[in-house]
Amino acid sequence: MLILKKIRYILLSVICILSIYNCLLNTSFAQEIKRSLSTYKCDTNAIDQYIRTANVYMETHNDSVPILLNQALKESYLCGNDKRIIKSLAQITTWQYGHNASLAISYGYQTIEEYNRRKITGQNISNKDIYKVYNVMARSYEAKGIIDSTAYFFYLLNDEIANGSDTSKDFAVSVYSQLALFWLNTNWDINSGYIEPTKEFIEKSRQAEKSLPDSSVQAYTSYMLEGAYYLCIKQFDSSRYYFLKYLDLRKKNNTLNVTWYAAVYLNIAETYMLENNPEMALVYLDKTMELKEKLSGFQRYLTITKLYYARAYYQLKKYKAGIDYFESAISNKGNTQVIAHFSFDLEISSFVRLNRFFTFQILNGCSCDCVSLGV
């Protein structure tokens, strides 16, 4: 009998709650809420301003970037604006690449899924946004050492050129140059067979580059590729010549960004370390570290810089300084792929870990571990 009373009480309570809810739906207050939602006006200008501001803040107020981009994404969903949903997600994916490759991949797949679902609605979704995501996915997988997935996304971009989906020469140079660097960095050896695709994409990039104006962000990319190529075949003077020529031409036309400075400085430092000249390597590592504030949104470059400092000080037999930089690099939680890639044993001494890292790079062809340009 007591159980039946409890059941009856619960049922009566549910009926009362449903009755109250039904009454509320018919009140003027509820009707006002419905009217407000139905008359909600999208402010696409505000969404675009969030995205523009995020791009400006990338080098100066990096912590604010995800807040702005998530606000843009939220407003885009409220508006049901497919174009801006994809653009916001693509920008978030790009930002994550500078902080955490795994999260960049996660957001990348989310963007691709939304793109495939929304492109059939007929809204004017920019293909360039999804191309940017393919690029970030390739670079993120490359950072994690997952070569098959890296190649898959780079060749998706190559297919877009081959089938005529994008005929922009800027786009072609960007894709060809990254494919050239991809083959250079894939355990490349002059006898391994990778020399042919490397040369092929360097030449394709050079031909596409010919029609670009000096003001293009992709102009003179072939100089950078030549620098990387000569680094790989250990002609270091030629490598430095092309890297420095690339920097000079880009400075002259005011088309450099901070990640390109960092990449070139790091590659030049690499040439000096391979010549067992760590003193000169430190000159270019110091130049990179001077960009520390502007690189706050691109942590992978700072991590690589610290690892290169560790190598340079190891060569100088200044082991304490080398260990400090090495430990700082592998403690960066946003670059956990560094720890995973080298399988560091945290139980052994810091010196042994540093020694293993240095030996690993020598045995695995670090002479062709070229630092690529930013997204």
Side-chain angles (χ1 to χ4, degrees), residues 120-183:
I120 61 175
T121 65
Q123 278 200 21
N124 185 27
I125 299 175
S126 172
N127 286 338
K128 289 184 178 180
D129 290 323
I130 203 64
Y131 296 161
K132 177 184 284 189
V133 171
Y134 290 162
N135 184 13
V136 172
M137 294 287 279
R139 303 284 286 279
S140 298
Y141 275 121
E142 187 177 32
K144 292 171 71 66
I146 305 175
I147 302 304
D148 289 349
S149 296
T150 302
Y152 172 77
F153 281 102
F154 273 143
Y155 275 93
L156 273 183
L157 292 169
N158 187 59
D159 290 345
E160 296 297 336
I161 300 171
N163 64 27
S165 298
D166 195 310
T167 57
S168 162
K169 295 301 181 184
D170 287 273
F171 178 69
V173 172
S174 174
V175 172
Y176 294 149
S177 63
Q178 291 184 86
L179 276 163
L181 287 172
F182 165 70
W183 284 112

Side-chain angles (χ1 to χ4, degrees), residues 169 173 202-212 222:
K169 295 301 181 184
V173 172
I202 289 176
E203 183 58 30
K204 282 187 173 184
S205 179
R206 183 185 291 110
Q207 292 302 318
E209 184 185 296
K210 286 181 178 179
S211 59
L212 296 179
S222 61

Side-chain angles (χ1 to χ4, degrees), residues 103-314:
L103 284 177
I105 291 168
S106 177
Y107 276 103
Y109 279 119
Q110 183 181 342
T111 309
I112 293 169
E113 182 181 348
E114 288 283 18
Y115 173 79
N116 289 332
R117 184 164 64 87
R118 293 173 182 275
K119 67 181 179 181
I120 61 175
T121 65
Q123 278 200 21
N124 185 27
I125 299 175
S126 172
N127 286 338
K128 289 184 178 180
D129 290 323
I130 203 64
Y131 296 161
K132 177 184 284 189
V133 171
Y134 290 162
N135 184 13
V136 172
M137 294 287 279
R139 303 284 286 279
S140 298
Y141 275 121
E142 187 177 32
K144 292 171 71 66
I146 305 175
I147 302 304
D148 289 349
S149 296
T150 302
Y152 172 77
F153 281 102
F154 273 143
Y155 275 93
L156 273 183
L157 292 169
N158 187 59
D159 290 345
E160 296 297 336
I161 300 171
N163 64 27
S165 298
D166 195 310
T167 57
S168 162
K169 295 301 181 184
D170 287 273
F171 178 69
V173 172
S174 174
V175 172
Y176 294 149
S177 63
Q178 291 184 86
L179 276 163
L181 287 172
F182 165 70
W183 284 112
L184 284 173
N185 285 334
T186 307
N187 294 323
W188 189 85
D189 184 293
I190 198 165
N191 298 314
S192 71
Y194 292 148
I195 191 170
E196 291 307 319
T198 297
K199 285 185 172 180
E200 175 190 352
F201 287 114
I202 289 176
E203 183 58 30
K204 282 187 173 184
S205 179
R206 183 185 291 110
Q207 292 302 318
E209 184 185 296
K210 286 181 178 179
S211 59
L212 296 179
D214 291 342
S215 58
S216 168
V217 294
Q218 298 299 336
Y220 309 114
T221 298
S222 61
Y223 285 90
M224 180 273 298
L225 295 177
E226 292 286 1
Y229 174 77
Y230 282 112
L231 187 158
C232 287
I233 62 174
K234 301 181 181 180
Q235 294 185 20
F236 302 124
D237 286 338
S238 295
S239 176
R240 288 190 287 268
Y241 167 80
Y242 281 105
F243 279 135
L244 290 171
K245 185 69 173 177
Y246 171 76
L247 268 189
D248 182 57
L249 290 168
R250 299 304 293 264
K251 285 178 184 177
K252 181 179 177 181
N253 291 282
N254 196 29
T255 52
L256 273 171
N257 70 31
V258 66
T259 64
W260 297 349
Y261 270 111
V264 171
Y265 289 153
L266 289 169
N267 283 324
I268 292 174
E270 172 83 348
T271 67
Y272 281 118
M273 284 189 285
L274 291 166
E275 290 181 320
N276 200 28
N277 187 353
E279 292 86 355
M280 281 302 300
L282 287 172
V283 171
Y284 284 92
L285 293 178
D286 289 344
K287 286 177 180 287
T288 310
M289 196 54 75
E290 288 172 6
L291 303 171
K292 182 178 179 180
E293 294 302 318
K294 290 184 177 181
L295 286 170
S296 62
F298 309 95
Q299 287 295 310
R300 62 184 295 269
Y301 290 96
L302 293 176
T303 299
I304 294 170
T305 303
K306 291 174 183 177
L307 287 172
Y308 279 20
Y309 266 121
R311 283 177 57 196
Y313 282 119
Y314 183 96

